Amino acid sequence: MTPDLLAALQAAQVAKRPVALLTRLSDGQQCLWPETALPGALAEAAERALREDAAANVTLDGEAWFVHPHNPPLRLIVVGAVHIAQALVPMAQTIGFAVTVVDPRRAWATADRFPGITLIHEWTDDAMLALAPDARTAVVTLTHDPKLDDPALDIALRSEAFYIGALGSRRTHAKRVARLAEAGHGEAAMARIHAPVGLDIAAVTAPEIALSILAEIVAARRGAALARRAAPHATSAAAA
């Protein structure tokens, strides 16, 4: 790799800008996409590698290329430093998510409860605006408090976040939808919210619910065709 190409790759990583590194196998020639204009099929292969987070071999006009995606880390924003969050955060870290916990309640969001995790004690609207969720971000609200969850969901729905989940029963979510509708969100936006949050695995304990949430996030990220939950969590229903 040439010094100029290495510098460009490092600059993209610092800026958290997704780029694909393409190497022509016959002579080792390399380039970055989208910084470099490429033929349609090669550009499509680079875009697909970034979208799927997977390297690929491509042949174009008899030339073999290796496409290596360099994406910024996936992010998980957890609103609410609750027991479910304590189980969810380390699980998400294990599979490569950069996790941030947002909760203005300092007694809950502590380094003792979330060691090594970025904690934000601002109100959720200010925190979410600063975090600026993008297409590589999942957002999960767990406080069960409209004063904290609703502003976070409002901003998440105005973003490109690939996953938005909210704890609560169907009854709780119906009230939430009504409030978000008053904030200007339509049916298409509401349909983006996974609520009750998590896959239906009959989870009861906090770690089980965390597992169901993370599985649903991965399914959304990978485009798995999974049915939405038919019934709410027992835990969520009890909390309604």
Side-chain angles (χ1 to χ4, degrees), residues 150-171:
D150 285 9
L153 291 170
D154 176 39
I155 293 169
L157 289 173
R158 300 179 194 278
S159 77
E160 296 182 352
F162 75 86
Y163 176 90
I164 303 170
L167 184 68
S169 67
R170 291 190 180 280
R171 182 176 62 183

Side-chain angles (χ1 to χ4, degrees), residues 31-205:
C31 62
L32 284 181
W33 184 87
E35 276 75 353
T36 303
L38 297 173
L42 208 52
E44 290 173 7
E47 190 278 333
R48 184 169 57 253
L50 288 172
R51 184 176 66 250
E52 298 177 356
D53 266 339
N57 289 294
V58 180
T59 300
L60 179 65
D61 296 333
E63 291 280 5
W65 293 80
F66 180 70
V67 184
H68 185 187
H70 288 267
N71 274 312
L74 291 166
R75 293 191 295 161
L76 172 61
I77 301 172
V78 179
V79 177
V82 297
H83 294 311
I84 295 172
Q86 285 183 282
L88 176 60
V89 166
M91 290 183 191
Q93 283 185 302
T94 298
I95 63 170
F97 279 83
V99 184
T100 300
V101 175
V102 178
D103 199 323
R105 302 169 297 184
R106 292 178 179 270
W108 292 64
T110 67
D112 287 341
R113 300 182 77 227
F114 296 93
I117 298 300
T118 299
L119 302 174
I120 298 181
H121 297 112
E122 304 296 328
W123 281 95
T124 55
D125 50 355
D126 292 334
M128 290 290 290
L129 286 172
L131 289 168
D134 57 20
R136 291 182 62 79
T137 305
V139 178
V140 178
T141 63
L142 300 175
T143 74
H144 224 289
D145 183 344
K147 296 190 301 297
L148 299 177
D149 286 349
D150 285 9
L153 291 170
D154 176 39
I155 293 169
L157 289 173
R158 300 179 194 278
S159 77
E160 296 182 352
F162 75 86
Y163 176 90
I164 303 170
L167 184 68
S169 67
R170 291 190 180 280
R171 182 176 62 183
T172 296
H173 187 56
K175 296 176 182 177
R176 177 189 295 132
V177 165
R179 294 191 301 269
L180 290 171
E182 292 179 358
H185 295 287
E187 291 185 8
M190 305 299 188
R192 296 177 61 198
I193 303 175
H194 294 258
V197 69
L199 297 181
D200 187 4
I201 59 172
V204 174
T205 67

